[in-house]
Amino acid sequence: MTEPCESVAPDSRDKPFLSVVIPVFNEEENLPELGRRLLATLTALSDSFEIIFVDDGSLDRSWEIIFQLHQENPQQVRGLQFIRNFGQHPAIFAGFQAARGEVIVTLDADLQNPPEEIPKLVAKLAEGYDTVGGWREVRRDSFFRRLPSAFINWLMSKVTGVHLHDYGCMLRAYRREVIDSINQCQESTSFIPALANIYARRITEVPVHHAERTRGQSKYSLVKLIRLNFDFMTGFSHLPIHAVGILGLVIALLGLGFGLFLMLRRLWVGPEVEGVFTLFAILFVFAGLQMFGLALIGEYVGRIYREVRQRPRFVVREEVGN
Ligand code: UDP
Ligand code: MG
């Protein structure tokens, strides 16, 4: 006898199919329109979704607007409010921990990522991908905003071996399993698209529109951008340490070569003026060795960092025969 699968129904009603996570920092001017457009798009897409606004310590009326959106749509809109500004990525982390959907989408609150693109990402995910990134083919940001992104895209592609055009676009969709893995990472500084790539097998991107920011200001000053990119670089690769180490080694070897050359020259031609160059050669050897030694220490510190971060080393998807 098979019974109709009634027990599944209430559960699946509790857990929405889609969660949309949005970090919000002083976006009072954008939130009403964002709420309207999101609700219109998502209602057409699925009958079970939730929108999670994470107010990252806004000082304007953002939280009031989120609260109002929740009151108007108690089933669909949820809100979290940080006590102060912790940053965009921590806000998304918080949203991930609260999200219950099978599919999780992240999005900026400033309407630069059009909410109307969400169905495109979800459809791509349904083709069997674990994460789908938005690729801003035509990016409407200043040159100085695009420059660090170009560097990050290049570095991230090298580090992870996953070549994507746009690691910085926050309009992205993830499967539940990827988010579960990310939720196990307790590190305090991180870069979510990169972290997701560690725990996803099939990764792709789709071109999305990008709008200019018409209201409010970008929350990223140059200093904040540099800090984010530096966080990212040190959090995901030992490239800076390796670069210093290699440089040190090269300098030491060049110094050695130079010293040898001077020695031979001394035998054939005689000493150079007052032996000054010999001193330089010796100096280079030691300076290079010192740099190399520093990088060696850095390598060990990097290893300690990797250990204390306690990222899950692997994640098992399925198992047969146990
Ligand atoms: N944001 C945030 N906390 C911050 C900085 C930004 O929650 O400390 C949010 C912001 O409200 C927006 C998104 O992150 O929804 C992207 O920020 P922004 O548009 O300023 O960045 P940009 O588009 O210049 O990269
Ligand atoms: Mg923006």
Side-chain angles (χ1 to χ4, degrees), residues 23 25 27 56 85 88 109-110 112 145 213 218-219 224:
F25 183 44
E27 304 281 2
D56 184 15
N85 179 246
Q88 179 186 4
D110 58 358
Q112 287 198 279
R145 185 68 191 76
R213 194 188 241 282
S218 172
K219 308 302 181 296
K224 229 174 150 180

